[in-house]
């Protein structure tokens, strides 16, 4: 079954091209370098209108010929699209079923990989999705080769974790977190150096602050020496209110007084 195209002729579309080209070149030559001025503005506008009409008439003829030329191709194209549509129907049906079989194959292979991983991994920190490669599900990827890769990768991760745990640092947990995200031992070591440097700088800053802070000594207040007291006898003359005011003043200033009888 094949598409057979009958012989057909594509004849050049002939018209008086050279004649029109010569006449146009000659008649349009006078417009070359034309400068529009206020005096010839009206004539220039009229000339532009005439040239646009000429251009439109040429373009209209081109479009008419193009439509006639394309008519047999449009019929042919529509017929071809109809045939392709007929073929597409079973193709889509087969695609759906083949994809279902392929998805099932990949899922079975994924389960087999997971089962092998679970049987050979004893470290709860290591998860399959950390090392899983989607290309393992490709039909060309051999399951034995995948299993070898899994075993070697688990071994490499456990070795790196042991190296991290052997470090004399309080940042072991941070290092393990970085390693499990990157599976790169060098990155974990850099995390240790980064945190230790931060701690060192923080301690230096603390010491610096302690050295620059002036410790304020408590101010010792000396107790005043007890003032000596004197006895003074004098006579006061005043009104009753003045006498009361004087009494209040002496009381408020802790001045001891007594009445002297003549």
């Amino acid at each position: 079954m094949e598409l057979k195209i009958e012989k057909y002729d594509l004849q050049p579309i002939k018209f008086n091209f050279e004649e029109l080209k010569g006449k146009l070149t000659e008649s349009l030559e006078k417009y070359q370098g034309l400068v529009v001025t206020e005096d010839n503005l009206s004539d220039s506008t009229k000339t532009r209108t005439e040239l646009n009409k000429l251009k439109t008439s040429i373009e209209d003829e081109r479009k008419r010929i193009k439509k006639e030329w394309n008519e047999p191709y449009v019929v042919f194209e529509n017929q071809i699209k109809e045939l392709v549509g007929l073929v597409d129907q079973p193709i889509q049906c087969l695609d759906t079923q083949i994809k279902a079989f392929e998805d099932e194959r990949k899922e079975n292979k994924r389960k087999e990989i997971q089962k092998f991983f679970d049987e050979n991994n004893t470290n709860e920190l290591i998860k399959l999705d950390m090392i899983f490669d989607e290309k393992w599900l490709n039909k060309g990827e051999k399951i034995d080769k995948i299993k070898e890769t899994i075993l070697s990768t688990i071994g490499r991760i456990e070795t790196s974790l042991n190296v991290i745990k052997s470090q004399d640092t309080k940042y072991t947990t941070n290092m393990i977190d970085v390693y499990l995200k990157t599976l790169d031992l060098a990155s974990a070591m850099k995390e240790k150096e980064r945190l230790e440097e931060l701690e060192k700088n923080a301690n230096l800053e603390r010491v610096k602050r302690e050295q620059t802070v002036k410790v304020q000594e408590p101010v010792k207040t000396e107790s005043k020496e007890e003032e000596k007291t004197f006895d003074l006898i004098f006579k006061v003359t005043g009104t009753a209110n003045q006498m009361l005011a004087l009494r209040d003043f002496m009381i408020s200033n802790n001045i001891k007084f007594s009445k002297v009888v003549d």
Side-chain angles (χ1 to χ4, degrees), residues 53-115:
K53 287 182 178 179
L54 175 60
K55 173 185 173 183
T56 301
S57 66
I58 295 174
E59 279 290 290
D60 287 346
E61 190 65 10
R62 176 188 65 78
K63 293 175 183 178
R64 183 184 70 81
I65 297 299
K66 179 180 180 180
K67 182 178 179 181
E68 292 182 359
W69 181 272
N70 285 343
E71 281 180 358
Y73 173 77
V74 171
V75 174
F76 167 77
E77 182 180 43
N78 290 335
Q79 291 174 336
I80 291 296
K81 288 182 178 179
E82 184 177 352
L83 295 176
V84 171
L86 293 175
V87 179
D88 269 342
Q89 292 179 6
I91 289 177
Q92 292 175 2
C93 180
L94 291 171
D95 279 348
T96 300
Q97 297 182 62
I98 292 172
K99 185 178 183 301
F101 275 103
E102 181 65 11
D103 290 344
E104 184 179 3
R105 182 194 64 79
K106 287 184 177 181
E107 183 60 26
N108 291 336
K109 193 173 186 180
R110 186 188 296 273
K111 290 179 179 178
E112 184 178 358
I113 292 172
Q114 182 70 62
K115 183 173 181 289

Side-chain angles (χ1 to χ4, degrees), residues 161-216:
L161 289 174
N162 289 333
V163 171
I164 292 173
K165 293 175 182 178
S166 68
Q167 299 297 303
D168 183 18
T169 177
K170 61 182 179 180
Y171 298 117
T172 301
T173 301
N174 305 81
M175 295 175 66
I176 290 177
D177 288 342
V178 170
Y179 178 75
L180 293 178
K181 292 177 181 178
T182 63
L183 296 184
D184 181 34
L185 182 58
S187 297
M189 292 300 183
K190 288 181 181 178
E191 179 68 4
K192 171 193 171 186
E193 295 173 1
R194 185 184 72 84
L195 293 174
E196 289 178 344
E197 185 67 20
L198 286 176
E199 181 182 15
K200 177 182 177 182
N201 292 336
N203 289 335
L204 289 175
E205 185 65 24
R206 178 178 56 80
V207 172
K208 183 178 179 181
R209 287 198 304 267
E210 291 176 353
Q211 291 176 342
T212 55
V213 172
K214 293 181 178 179
V215 179
Q216 299 294 331

